[in-house]
Structures are given as C-alpha cells and as structure tokens.
Amino acid sequence: MKKQLLALLLSLPIAAIAQKLSPQAVKRCEAQAQKVTIIRDNWGVPHIYGKTDADAVFGLMYAQCEENFKGVERNYLYQLGKQAEVDGESNLYTDLQLQLIADSTEAIKEYKNSPVWFKKLMDAFADGVNYYLYKHPQTQPLVLKHFEPWYALMFTDGSVAATITGGITLNETRQFYGSTNQIKLGALTKPTDLTDSLHNHVFDREIGSNGFAISPQKSASGHAMLYINPHVPFYFRSEVQLVSDEGLNTYGAVTWGQFFVYQGFNAHCGWMHTSSNADVADAYEEKVIKKGNSWFYEYDGQQKPVLQRPITLYCKKGNQLEPIKMMGYFTHHGPVLGSRSGKWLSLKANNRSYNALLESWLITKANNYNEYMKAMNLLSNATNNTVYADDKGNTVFWYGNFIPKRNPQLDWTQPVDGSTSATEWQGLHLLNEIVQVHNPTGGWIQNCNATPYASAGKNSPDPKLYPAYMAPNGQNYRGINASKILNNNEKLTLDELIAKGYDRYLAAFDVLLPPLFKAYQESTNSELKNRLSAPINTLQQWDRRAAINSVATSLAVEYGTRLFGLLPRPSSSEEGTFQTERVSRLLQSITPAEQLDLLKQSINDLILHYGKWDIAWGEINRYQRPTDGISFNDQLPSLPAASVASTFGQLPSFVSRTMPGTKKRYGYSGNSFMAAVEFGPKVKAKSLITGGQSFDASSKNFTDQAQMYLDGNFKDVLFYKDDVLKHAEMTYHPGNEK
C-alpha cells in the first residue's frame, strides 16, 4: 500500500503536492508573531525586534521570505540535494554529491539532541518560513512546501563556496557513479560544471572578498574601523538588523535561508569573512577490490569493507518526478566522490556540522573580543578567514578556523594515500596556532583572498612558522593593490576608507602592459605597427584606472581577458591562487608576436561587436536589474558601470559579460552587501547593497541604490532605534503587513 501511495504521489504534477500548517502550528506562530515587530526603513531594510532571540529569528526568516522566498528555497534545494527535482538531469550529480557529503540523518539527530535554547532558534527558523507560506498561499514553492527545523543544520556555513570537495570535480563524480550505477542520461553525457568559454576560464575564481581593519593610530577619529566587501553573485545576501531583549543587536548580511548574520557588526565589534584557501578537506586514494558483491579497501595491511548506502534521487522529467536509485560508497575517510588514475577517491571534510552553526550564531551575538574568541574556539568554520575590529581598538586577522593537523612532509594539494594511517588527520590546530595578525603596529590589515603573509605589511606573519597546508595560497593583484593604498602614514576617515575600498586601479596592467609596449616598439612589421599605433598610444596614455569614459579600459579588459585565457589550468585549487606567479611565468613564455596578435584579436573583436575599437567602457559595460532576474535586454534602461572584475586587481568588483541576445555586457557578480564601520562611543556605519533591497520590480527599493552602488556612494546605516523610527516606512508584525 505504501509503495502504491508513493507511486501515486510521484505521478502527480509537482505543484499539486502541498502541505499546510496544523491548527496547533498556526496558533503557535500567531502567538510568536505578536512578539516580533518588523520596521522597514526608507531603503527597505528590515529592522527586526523580538522579545527573545528566537522571536528575532522567526521575524528574520519571515522577512527573508517576503523579499526572496525563491532564494531561500533554492539554497536549501542545493543543500538537501534536491535541485534535480526542479532542474532535471543537469543537477542530478550535484544532488548526488550533496547527499553523499551531508547525511540528513545526522542533522536530525543533532537537532533532537540540541539544548533547549538552541532548539528554540531552529524551531523559530522553520516556523518563520512556514508561517510566511501559510500567510501567502500565492507563493508556490518549487519543492519545499514545509521547512523542518533540522534544515538549518544542513546549511551551517554562509559562504558562497560552502561545500568543499577536496579537489574532486563534479565530472569525476558523474563519471564514477554514472558508471558504477549504470546510469545513462542523455543530458549528462557532457560535463556541466566545466566550460571551454574564454570568459569562464579567466573568471572562474571570481568569488572572493576584501576585508580591511584600520587601527586607531591610522584612523582620523582615533577609533578602529572595519571595511566589509564580499564579492559574490549579485543579490546573494540580504541586509538586516536583528534585535532582542536577550542581548542580540546585530546588523549585516544574511545569506538567504540562514538565521545568523554572516558578515556584520554590533555596537562594539564587527567581522568580515573572506573566502579562505586554507586546506580543510582532503581526497584519499583508496585501493579497492571486489569480492563477490561487496567492495573492500586496503588500510594498514588489512581489508576493510566499503560501506554502501542506497540513495534515491528524484529527477524532473516533464511534469513528473522520476526516482533514480544509486548506491553510494563510503570508507572511514568519508564518501567516495569519484576516481582518478584507476583509484577511488574518498573525501574527508567538515562541510556540515552542529558546531559550525553554533559558532555562526555565537558570533552573531558576540559583543566583545572575548565573546568573539569564545565562538572562534569552536574551530568549526571551514571556509572563511576573519577580519575583526572593535571599540577597544583591537584589529585582528585569522586565516581560517577549522584546520586539521597533518603530516607536513606530505603534499596535501593532491590526493594522499588512503591505505595507511600515516595520512590521517591528527586532530585540529588550536586557534592560537593558526596564521593570524593582532593589532599590527602599522595600523592596518587587509585580506583579499590572497596570501596572509602579506596581510599587514611589515607586521605580516612569517611563513616559516607555519606548515604549508595552513595557508597554501599565493598573491593576487587585489592583494598588491590593497597593500599599496594602505601601507602609508595617512590617517583615514570613514569616507576615505570607503574611497580606498572603491579604488579602481587595475594593478595587473602594471605587469601586462610593459611587455606589450616593448613588443610593439621592437616589432619590424610596419603594417602591423601602423594598425596598432592608435590603440597602443591609447594604452600608453592610460592611468590604469577603470572609468566609464575610458576607451583604454575597454581595450585593456579585452586584451587582459585573452592573455589570462592562455594560463594553463592549475594542477590544484591551491596552485590556482598564485595569480601573480602564474602570470609572471606566462609572460616569460609568450612571444612578442603572440602578444601583438592578442591585441589585434582584441581590436577585431571590439569592432565586430560594436563597430569600432575605440569605444568607452561605460557604453558597453552596464548595470541592469531585469524584473525576472535573468532576461537582460539592450533595449531596456541600464546604467554605465565603471568597475571591472577584480581579477585585474581592482578592489571593487563588477563581473560582466554579454548575455543571450545582447551586445552589451551586464554585471552579474561582484560587490554585494558592503559596509564601513567606525567603532567609537556610538557605532557609526555606512552600507550599500547591489541595486536595492527589494526583489519587487514595482518597488522604489528595487533599484534605488543602483547608481550609489556604481559610484561607491554609501548610505547611512540606521543602527539605533531612534534613527530607525525617524525613517520608518512600514511597521508590522509578521502576518499583519499591509
């Protein structure tokens, strides 16, 4: 009977299955809603006030769903491994990876065993979403009709790159499990995670961040300051304030679907997370043998059974869901995610954990350095660095947080031998053992996803004191630019700090252009030199700053993109971070004739697309926010954008490309929520968010920050309630908004 019912449900149109709140749940949610007040200011930012922390969480989730339930649901479809139920075959193996990596059974167990106070937060998380759906029946979820409290334990990291696979690619997972499970799906015969396009080859790592901390001695006011500048896909996070009578009062960015502030501040301290390249996940080569119907793997001279777990994924076919059964494989290291050179690859990582969620919440509530350190000592943040500042004048940088101890003699950038205990992790490094900077005498800290060994000028950590796996990444042009503009005796105001953060100098071209100019000067091809004379002169006269009226920016971006496209694929993600070294090697290998040919190709491409090569950057590089989020159109209004991708060393980031059906380039990733904070007797802060707070195209808050965003003109943060009330445009309890 149960099988028949399941078959019936799977045969129904997907949208036909819905869940409603029970009368008891409705009553509970209505009572909690009365304890929550949401005040939306003139920018649409929700300031959420609750009696308890759980009340504030309830209000936060309700407010998130008001703005972007689609984003909330999409994040959990990813984390739960359910994207194929909407997208079909294209995301089937992404779903498989996630279900292999994060078992919901453990999350359910952790929720049940949580202390009462923390369980209340997760209950409020689910109730806030479910109450929104109850009050807004016109919102039709794609899959998740009802949220469970334990979902929060499946999404414990707010980073844009929160799932780490130890270098095992999605294509390796597809090939391994497609073969071992004999799955044949037409749409999956080609990899979907890799692309041969020039744009994606060059910008595939354009997911990063900038964080600056300014000490009192470098601050014009004598107060510590913090600059928060993540680079992520546009509209990836929301700007909020959370306040409760239990001591919570935090402002910042929340990743859709999470109940903690990922990057933000309170009246006393603030934190900026940048994506870390610390080695936190490793691939193990397993020596396997099949005996009968069972698999075994070698470990310390013995044969251990490979654990097998049936996994059923659901894949959209037309208007139906088709169950696809697979067998997942596991060793004691973790899930087997693929194979390479004939050896199975298992993953050891910390992609999801109870302590990671707990740490994120305790950081959200931390009001001073000691409380922040207490949260950090949980050692469970697997993907982030932290730049910190507070009202006591402290400025601190921690490179990573969760960092396993390992044999430093081994190369951990590549898969290691899984057949011996010699490659096992040896516990975790304590917080005081990881790479860090405390109150540097130079007065500044910067991290731009580059090496921590250049994070504070002469006060930077000494790499000889740390194992290679602890900070296995190199320098990039953003890091060079940031150090250059901060390493001086200038005392900064808050507005001057913002201006530094919006510095549009393209440091990469300090390296890329001189060899090109030399190649041109020494060329004996008079015909080519005549053709390139005007473009070369344009580049020679350029100040190397991106600008909307700059022809040189258009030409340089085209040339730089082609040149970077010649960089060979790195052998590991760690090698890929050594941007300046890799480019230096490339420039030593490329011939002068090849450089001139790249410039000629760039000119030809500009002429082909725009009818001329000497076109201003702002004419072709645009900001537009489509009503549906995806349909860019040259015929509709857009704004000129001066910024370029931070790949070229510019501190603010605006990644753009031509879209289907367009000739112009449109931004889709880069600067998102940004803030600059000064920690005086009263906290003073300014912020920006991409375009605007609202996802409703008819709202004034849809694009009211667009020009400000492009210009770096930050708005004043309304942190104190008196200021919030002066600018209140809508005040309501969840469920009673008008």
Side-chain angles (χ1 to χ4, degrees), residues 164-166 168 279-284 332-335 337 346-351 402 404 406 423-426:
I164 308 299
T165 62
I168 305 171
D279 189 349
V280 297
D282 293 305
Y284 285 81
H332 75 279
H333 295 121
L337 291 189
S346 61
L347 171 70
K348 190 173 183 64
N350 184 44
N351 279 305
F402 170 90
R406 308 168 174 88
T423 59
E424 293 291 351
W425 291 357
Q426 302 159 15

Side-chain angles (χ1 to χ4, degrees), residues 329-370:
Y329 299 97
F330 301 80
T331 72
H332 75 279
H333 295 121
V336 176
L337 291 189
S339 65
R340 192 180 301 167
S341 302
K343 294 181 179 180
W344 288 17
L345 296 177
S346 61
L347 171 70
K348 190 173 183 64
N350 184 44
N351 279 305
R352 183 215 66 78
S353 76
Y354 174 89
N355 274 351
L357 183 62
L358 179 61
E359 181 174 338
S360 295
W361 175 255
L362 293 179
I363 282 173
T364 298
K365 286 209 68 174
N367 276 306
N368 55 53
Y369 177 76
N370 289 335

Side-chain angles (χ1 to χ4, degrees), residues 18-247:
Q19 294 189 44
K20 296 182 179 180
L21 284 183
S22 68
Q24 296 87 347
V26 171
K27 186 176 180 180
R28 180 180 70 247
C29 290
E30 288 177 340
Q32 188 157 34
Q34 292 305 306
K35 301 174 184 177
V36 179
T37 300
I38 300 174
I39 304 176
R40 289 193 180 269
D41 65 25
N42 53 307
W43 299 104
V45 175
H47 303 260
I48 301 161
Y49 300 87
K51 299 286 187 183
T52 66
D53 291 348
D55 295 337
V57 167
F58 178 93
L60 169 64
M61 300 313 301
Y62 189 94
Q64 284 190 52
C65 292
E66 284 185 297
E67 293 173 6
N68 186 20
F69 174 77
K70 178 181 177 181
V72 172
E73 184 183 22
R74 271 289 181 179
N75 278 346
Y76 281 96
L77 290 178
Y78 171 78
Q79 297 295 334
L80 296 169
K82 290 179 172 289
Q83 292 186 105
E85 296 182 31
V86 177
D87 303 326
E89 297 174 359
S90 63
N91 270 321
L92 185 68
Y93 284 96
T94 303
D95 286 353
L96 178 61
Q97 270 197 348
L98 267 293
Q99 291 205 22
L100 288 166
I101 288 170
D103 186 356
S104 60
T105 303
E106 288 299 314
I108 294 170
K109 185 186 302 181
E110 289 168 351
Y111 164 73
K112 291 179 177 178
N113 293 332
S114 295
V116 172
W117 73 268
F118 202 47
K119 188 178 290 186
K120 285 181 179 179
L121 299 183
M122 290 184 275
D123 289 342
F125 148 82
D127 280 347
V129 178
N130 293 329
Y131 189 55
Y132 169 82
L133 292 175
Y134 168 75
K135 297 294 290 187
H136 296 80
Q138 70 275 20
T139 299
Q140 290 295 314
L142 297 170
V143 174
L144 303 176
K145 317 295 182 182
H146 187 86
F147 275 57
E148 297 293 341
W150 57 265
Y151 283 8
L153 286 162
M154 297 294 288
F155 190 15
T156 58
D157 186 330
S159 171
V160 69
T163 303
I164 308 299
T165 62
I168 305 171
T169 68
L170 182 60
N171 197 42
E172 287 173 321
T173 300
R174 178 186 296 108
Q175 291 175 343
F176 178 82
Y177 280 98
S179 172
T180 57
N181 288 277
Q182 297 183 336
I183 302 297
K184 296 181 179 180
L185 297 167
L188 296 173
T189 56
K190 295 182 179 180
T192 59
D193 62 329
L194 300 177
T195 175
D196 293 327
S197 75
L198 178 62
H199 181 277
N200 282 354
H201 178 56
V202 174
F203 301 113
D204 62 353
R205 293 192 61 81
E206 181 51 23
I207 298 174
S209 302
N210 302 331
F212 305 156
I214 304 300
S215 300
Q217 66 263 37
K218 192 173 173 60
S219 167
S221 67
H223 304 134
M225 297 190 295
L226 180 69
Y227 187 71
I228 297 171
N229 178 208
H231 298 167
V232 296
F234 289 173
Y235 324 114
F236 185 73
R237 297 190 180 100
S238 177
E239 182 173 349
V240 303
Q241 183 178 18
L242 294 176
V243 184
S244 81
D245 294 344
E246 294 182 336

